Amino acid sequence: MGTTTFQEKLLSVQRNLLNFAYTLTTNREDAYDLLQDTTLKALDNEDKYVDNVNFKGWVFTIMRNLFINKYRATVRSAVVIDRSDDLYHLNLSQESGFESPEGALSTIEINAAINRFSDDYRVPFSMFIAGYKYAEIAEHMDLPLGTVKSRIFLARQKLKSALADYRYD
């Protein structure tokens, strides 16, 4: 069997991407727009894809990042018109949670922490985040199912530890 081209790989995950896009957007038109944006971004960045990297995870990460960036832009550009006498609504916190120190970590920081893991932990954890099932990861890595579950659990613990300074609960 010959090698699969980049475009063939991209076409083979379109249905999975559309399902994920619908999960993120909960709207059919927005899901199709996100799928199209993701496909274009992947094609534009084909030269950045490294062959031994999990393709499905790479494309899903592109989609997730596009969605998050669009959401953040939407939150920032929201216009508030306050017609109350004392401008009560304008004086309320407009915090989205994304840009504050107490808010969510940026995906860059999280990805950097994950990328510091050894391949034994980074690969199964990244695949799990991308939506692969434990059995698929075990088959891909040629490992027992229990080993994969253990490594993903340990990767979660490592990530919590690496990001402990950011916790505020």
Side-chain angles (χ1 to χ4, degrees):
M1 185 170 132
T3 59
T4 308
T5 67
F6 184 86
Q7 289 82 9
E8 289 170 334
K9 287 180 184 178
L10 190 56
L11 285 173
S12 72
V13 296
Q14 290 292 295
R15 181 176 300 248
N16 299 70
L17 286 170
L18 181 58
N19 290 338
F20 185 52
Y22 187 73
T23 302
L24 292 171
T25 63
T26 66
N27 177 297
R28 180 180 296 268
E29 289 80 23
D30 291 342
Y32 279 108
D33 288 346
L34 183 56
L35 174 64
Q36 183 177 6
D37 292 345
T38 302
T39 302
L40 289 173
K41 184 88 164 178
L43 289 169
D44 286 345
N45 291 289
E46 179 179 355
D47 59 318
K48 295 179 184 170
Y49 175 71
V50 181
D51 235 4
N52 63 349
V53 172
N54 169 12
F55 182 78
K56 188 175 180 184
W58 184 74
V59 178
F60 272 67
T61 300
I62 291 172
M63 178 174 279
R64 185 187 72 232
N65 290 343
L66 283 171
F67 175 76
I68 290 170
N69 291 339
K70 184 175 181 182
Y71 174 78
R72 287 180 179 169
T74 301
V75 168
R76 279 193 300 266
S77 68
V79 176
V80 177
I81 299 174
D82 187 356
R83 294 200 170 119
S84 64
D85 290 336
D86 60 359
L87 300 178
Y88 173 77
H89 293 102
L90 287 179
N91 292 322
L92 289 174
S93 171
Q94 300 299 315
E95 182 58 54
S96 69
F98 286 114
E99 298 299 328
S100 72
E102 300 86 30
L105 294 172
S106 77
T107 56
I108 294 170
E109 292 169 307
I110 294 170
N111 285 333
I114 293 169
N115 287 333
R116 285 192 292 269
F117 295 169
S118 67
D119 284 351
D120 289 344
Y121 295 99
R122 183 182 46 77
V123 173
F125 188 69
S126 296
M127 289 178 75
F128 182 75
I129 289 173
Y132 285 92
K133 297 190 181 344
Y134 290 119
E136 293 174 315
I137 299 167
E139 182 181 328
H140 173 77
M141 297 188 71
D142 196 27
L143 292 171
L145 185 63
T147 301
V148 168
K149 288 181 178 182
S150 175
R151 287 184 182 177
I152 291 171
F153 173 79
L154 291 172
R156 281 186 183 135
Q157 299 307 311
K158 286 175 177 257
L159 187 60
K160 283 181 187 177
S161 175
L163 302 175
D165 292 341
Y166 296 100
R167 297 185 67 180
Y168 63 95
D169 46 35

mmCIF file of all heavy atoms in Angstrom, residues 98-120:
data_model
loop_
_atom_site.group_PDB
_atom_site.id
_atom_site.type_symbol
_atom_site.label_atom_id
_atom_site.label_comp_id
_atom_site.label_asym_id
_atom_site.label_seq_id
_atom_site.Cartn_x
_atom_site.Cartn_y
_atom_site.Cartn_z
ATOM 1 N N PHE A 98 -10.819 34.757 30.115
ATOM 2 C CA PHE A 98 -9.685 34.368 29.286
ATOM 3 C C PHE A 98 -8.481 35.277 29.453
ATOM 4 O O PHE A 98 -7.359 34.840 29.313
ATOM 5 C CB PHE A 98 -10.078 34.342 27.807
ATOM 6 C CG PHE A 98 -10.922 33.178 27.452
ATOM 7 C CD1 PHE A 98 -12.232 33.349 27.059
ATOM 8 C CD2 PHE A 98 -10.423 31.887 27.503
ATOM 9 C CE1 PHE A 98 -13.011 32.270 26.726
ATOM 10 C CE2 PHE A 98 -11.203 30.799 27.177
ATOM 11 C CZ PHE A 98 -12.502 30.998 26.785
ATOM 12 N N GLU A 99 -8.667 36.536 29.723
ATOM 13 C CA GLU A 99 -7.552 37.458 29.720
ATOM 14 C C GLU A 99 -7.057 37.822 31.114
ATOM 15 O O GLU A 99 -6.171 38.638 31.258
ATOM 16 C CB GLU A 99 -7.941 38.741 28.966
ATOM 17 C CG GLU A 99 -8.285 38.503 27.511
ATOM 18 C CD GLU A 99 -7.130 37.917 26.707
ATOM 19 O OE1 GLU A 99 -5.970 38.213 26.998
ATOM 20 O OE2 GLU A 99 -7.406 37.135 25.785
ATOM 21 N N SER A 100 -7.656 37.260 32.147
ATOM 22 C CA SER A 100 -7.240 37.609 33.499
ATOM 23 C C SER A 100 -6.240 36.601 34.036
ATOM 24 O O SER A 100 -6.190 35.463 33.574
ATOM 25 C CB SER A 100 -8.471 37.649 34.408
ATOM 26 O OG SER A 100 -8.927 36.332 34.634
ATOM 27 N N PRO A 101 -5.459 36.998 35.028
ATOM 28 C CA PRO A 101 -4.513 36.043 35.627
ATOM 29 C C PRO A 101 -5.236 34.856 36.238
ATOM 30 O O PRO A 101 -4.707 33.757 36.258
ATOM 31 C CB PRO A 101 -3.815 36.867 36.713
ATOM 32 C CG PRO A 101 -4.034 38.280 36.347
ATOM 33 C CD PRO A 101 -5.320 38.328 35.587
ATOM 34 N N GLU A 102 -6.449 35.077 36.749
ATOM 35 C CA GLU A 102 -7.196 33.989 37.362
ATOM 36 C C GLU A 102 -7.921 33.132 36.332
ATOM 37 O O GLU A 102 -8.437 32.083 36.643
ATOM 38 C CB GLU A 102 -8.255 34.540 38.332
ATOM 39 C CG GLU A 102 -7.709 35.365 39.460
ATOM 40 C CD GLU A 102 -7.528 36.828 39.063
ATOM 41 O OE1 GLU A 102 -8.277 37.323 38.204
ATOM 42 O OE2 GLU A 102 -6.612 37.463 39.599
ATOM 43 N N GLY A 103 -7.989 33.614 35.100
ATOM 44 C CA GLY A 103 -8.748 32.928 34.069
ATOM 45 C C GLY A 103 -8.040 31.703 33.522
ATOM 46 O O GLY A 103 -7.010 31.268 34.020
ATOM 47 N N ALA A 104 -8.606 31.199 32.493
ATOM 48 C CA ALA A 104 -8.071 29.992 31.861
ATOM 49 C C ALA A 104 -6.676 30.237 31.305
ATOM 50 O O ALA A 104 -6.370 31.326 30.832
ATOM 51 C CB ALA A 104 -9.002 29.553 30.734
ATOM 52 N N LEU A 105 -5.858 29.213 31.380
ATOM 53 C CA LEU A 105 -4.522 29.305 30.800
ATOM 54 C C LEU A 105 -4.637 29.379 29.288
ATOM 55 O O LEU A 105 -5.547 28.824 28.694
ATOM 56 C CB LEU A 105 -3.719 28.065 31.153
ATOM 57 C CG LEU A 105 -3.380 27.866 32.605
ATOM 58 C CD1 LEU A 105 -2.758 26.502 32.805
ATOM 59 C CD2 LEU A 105 -2.429 28.935 33.060
ATOM 60 N N SER A 106 -3.708 30.054 28.698
ATOM 61 C CA SER A 106 -3.735 30.084 27.243
ATOM 62 C C SER A 106 -3.339 28.714 26.706
ATOM 63 O O SER A 106 -2.592 27.967 27.351
ATOM 64 C CB SER A 106 -2.797 31.156 26.703
ATOM 65 O OG SER A 106 -1.461 30.724 26.775
ATOM 66 N N THR A 107 -3.830 28.396 25.557
ATOM 67 C CA THR A 107 -3.500 27.105 24.956
ATOM 68 C C THR A 107 -2.010 26.989 24.697
ATOM 69 O O THR A 107 -1.465 25.890 24.711
ATOM 70 C CB THR A 107 -4.275 26.897 23.647
ATOM 71 O OG1 THR A 107 -4.021 27.981 22.768
ATOM 72 C CG2 THR A 107 -5.760 26.768 23.890
ATOM 73 N N ILE A 108 -1.338 28.102 24.512
ATOM 74 C CA ILE A 108 0.111 28.078 24.276
ATOM 75 C C ILE A 108 0.825 27.535 25.512
ATOM 76 O O ILE A 108 1.710 26.682 25.404
ATOM 77 C CB ILE A 108 0.632 29.483 23.908
ATOM 78 C CG1 ILE A 108 0.058 29.917 22.563
ATOM 79 C CG2 ILE A 108 2.145 29.526 23.908
ATOM 80 C CD1 ILE A 108 0.296 31.365 22.212
ATOM 81 N N GLU A 109 0.427 28.003 26.688
ATOM 82 C CA GLU A 109 1.058 27.534 27.923
ATOM 83 C C GLU A 109 0.769 26.058 28.172
ATOM 84 O O GLU A 109 1.662 25.307 28.580
ATOM 85 C CB GLU A 109 0.571 28.365 29.111
ATOM 86 C CG GLU A 109 1.044 29.803 29.073
ATOM 87 C CD GLU A 109 0.337 30.669 30.095
ATOM 88 O OE1 GLU A 109 -0.913 30.666 30.110
ATOM 89 O OE2 GLU A 109 1.038 31.330 30.860
ATOM 90 N N ILE A 110 -0.449 25.654 27.922
ATOM 91 C CA ILE A 110 -0.821 24.255 28.134
ATOM 92 C C ILE A 110 -0.069 23.358 27.154
ATOM 93 O O ILE A 110 0.501 22.338 27.539
ATOM 94 C CB ILE A 110 -2.352 24.066 28.006
ATOM 95 C CG1 ILE A 110 -3.057 24.813 29.134
ATOM 96 C CG2 ILE A 110 -2.713 22.591 28.017
ATOM 97 C CD1 ILE A 110 -4.556 24.913 28.979
ATOM 98 N N ASN A 111 -0.057 23.755 25.884
ATOM 99 C CA ASN A 111 0.661 22.960 24.878
ATOM 100 C C ASN A 111 2.153 22.893 25.176
ATOM 101 O O ASN A 111 2.780 21.856 24.978
ATOM 102 C CB ASN A 111 0.417 23.510 23.474
ATOM 103 C CG ASN A 111 -0.965 23.175 22.956
ATOM 104 O OD1 ASN A 111 -1.557 22.185 23.361
ATOM 105 N ND2 ASN A 111 -1.480 24.007 22.074
ATOM 106 N N ALA A 112 2.722 23.986 25.663
ATOM 107 C CA ALA A 112 4.151 23.987 26.002
ATOM 108 C C ALA A 112 4.429 22.998 27.127
ATOM 109 O O ALA A 112 5.423 22.265 27.086
ATOM 110 C CB ALA A 112 4.602 25.392 26.394
ATOM 111 N N ALA A 113 3.543 22.954 28.113
ATOM 112 C CA ALA A 113 3.717 22.010 29.221
ATOM 113 C C ALA A 113 3.616 20.575 28.719
ATOM 114 O O ALA A 113 4.415 19.710 29.102
ATOM 115 C CB ALA A 113 2.676 22.278 30.304
ATOM 116 N N ILE A 114 2.658 20.308 27.853
ATOM 117 C CA ILE A 114 2.490 18.958 27.306
ATOM 118 C C ILE A 114 3.692 18.579 26.450
ATOM 119 O O ILE A 114 4.171 17.442 26.511
ATOM 120 C CB ILE A 114 1.178 18.857 26.494
ATOM 121 C CG1 ILE A 114 -0.030 18.990 27.422
ATOM 122 C CG2 ILE A 114 1.117 17.548 25.712
ATOM 123 C CD1 ILE A 114 -1.351 19.164 26.713
ATOM 124 N N ASN A 115 4.199 19.514 25.663
ATOM 125 C CA ASN A 115 5.335 19.226 24.778
ATOM 126 C C ASN A 115 6.630 18.946 25.532
ATOM 127 O O ASN A 115 7.559 18.394 24.956
ATOM 128 C CB ASN A 115 5.529 20.362 23.775
ATOM 129 C CG ASN A 115 4.453 20.348 22.709
ATOM 130 O OD1 ASN A 115 3.883 19.315 22.399
ATOM 131 N ND2 ASN A 115 4.167 21.513 22.160
ATOM 132 N N ARG A 116 6.687 19.318 26.807
ATOM 133 C CA ARG A 116 7.863 19.000 27.618
ATOM 134 C C ARG A 116 7.851 17.549 28.101
ATOM 135 O O ARG A 116 8.859 17.056 28.592
ATOM 136 C CB ARG A 116 7.956 19.949 28.814
ATOM 137 C CG ARG A 116 8.424 21.344 28.418
ATOM 138 C CD ARG A 116 8.783 22.196 29.616
ATOM 139 N NE ARG A 116 7.637 22.561 30.431
ATOM 140 C CZ ARG A 116 6.909 23.659 30.272
ATOM 141 N NH1 ARG A 116 7.207 24.504 29.310
ATOM 142 N NH2 ARG A 116 5.894 23.912 31.053
ATOM 143 N N PHE A 117 6.723 16.850 27.970
ATOM 144 C CA PHE A 117 6.652 15.438 28.360
ATOM 145 C C PHE A 117 7.510 14.609 27.415
ATOM 146 O O PHE A 117 7.683 14.954 26.249
ATOM 147 C CB PHE A 117 5.227 14.900 28.258
ATOM 148 C CG PHE A 117 4.227 15.519 29.213
ATOM 149 C CD1 PHE A 117 2.882 15.270 29.037
ATOM 150 C CD2 PHE A 117 4.616 16.325 30.269
ATOM 151 C CE1 PHE A 117 1.945 15.808 29.886
ATOM 152 C CE2 PHE A 117 3.679 16.876 31.124
ATOM 153 C CZ PHE A 117 2.340 16.617 30.940
ATOM 154 N N SER A 118 7.974 13.476 27.897
ATOM 155 C CA SER A 118 8.660 12.530 27.009
ATOM 156 C C SER A 118 7.606 11.937 26.074
ATOM 157 O O SER A 118 6.402 11.974 26.367
ATOM 158 C CB SER A 118 9.332 11.422 27.821
ATOM 159 O OG SER A 118 8.347 10.606 28.440
ATOM 160 N N ASP A 119 8.043 11.379 24.951
ATOM 161 C CA ASP A 119 7.116 10.797 23.977
ATOM 162 C C ASP A 119 6.214 9.741 24.604
ATOM 163 O O ASP A 119 5.065 9.583 24.202
ATOM 164 C CB ASP A 119 7.871 10.180 22.804
ATOM 165 C CG ASP A 119 8.398 11.235 21.836
ATOM 166 O OD1 ASP A 119 8.029 12.420 21.996
ATOM 167 O OD2 ASP A 119 9.153 10.861 20.922
ATOM 168 N N ASP A 120 6.739 9.000 25.590
ATOM 169 C CA ASP A 120 5.954 7.960 26.241
ATOM 170 C C ASP A 120 4.671 8.503 26.857
ATOM 171 O O ASP A 120 3.675 7.787 26.955
ATOM 172 C CB ASP A 120 6.775 7.268 27.338
ATOM 173 C CG ASP A 120 7.875 6.383 26.773
ATOM 174 O OD1 ASP A 120 7.818 6.072 25.563
ATOM 175 O OD2 ASP A 120 8.777 6.011 27.540
#
